[in-house]
Amino acid sequence: MMNPIYEKLFYTYGRSVLDDLNCYDEKELLSHLDSLPLDKKTRLHLEDLFFDYYCQWSTAAFSLGLHLGLSLLCDDIRRVRPQQVQ
């Protein structure tokens, strides 16, 4: 589970930055899926999986970058992993 602060920051800031960068090329992905012999249900399932993983990896990268940035700015935030919310 992601720290709620990181999650809120990602969905209010990080996601808009990723959208502007156009890192998730849906048209290219769909053209590759078109070339595979898949039934409609399997294809839709794969599209959803790819997008879900893209969001998960992007969120993890954003959180890690945020944590690293805070660690470099503040000497008292030198933890190996983000602190868990109790």
Side-chain angles (χ1 to χ4, degrees):
M1 179 114 205
M2 186 193 320
N3 181 315
I5 294 170
Y6 293 172
E7 186 173 9
K8 184 170 178 107
L9 281 170
F10 175 77
Y11 284 108
T12 57
Y13 171 72
R15 183 127 187 215
S16 65
V17 170
L18 287 170
D19 288 344
D20 290 344
L21 292 174
N22 295 319
C23 293
Y24 186 80
D25 191 343
E26 187 174 13
K27 288 181 183 180
E28 182 180 355
L29 177 66
L30 295 178
S31 72
H32 287 294
L33 287 176
D34 286 339
S35 69
L36 300 172
L38 301 169
D39 62 79
K40 186 174 181 170
K41 183 178 178 183
T42 302
R43 182 197 154 118
L44 290 174
H45 183 69
L46 281 174
E47 285 178 38
D48 289 342
L49 280 174
F50 290 146
F51 187 74
D52 289 345
Y53 278 114
Y54 169 74
C55 286
Q56 288 175 11
W57 293 332
S58 300
T59 303
F62 176 82
S63 299
L64 183 61
L66 178 64
H67 188 263
L68 177 61
L70 290 173
S71 296
L72 292 171
L73 287 174
C74 305
D75 288 338
D76 61 339
I77 306 179
R78 299 277 185 207
R79 297 179 189 94
V80 177
R81 290 180 173 41
Q83 189 175 9
Q84 297 295 318
V85 176
Q86 299 289 330

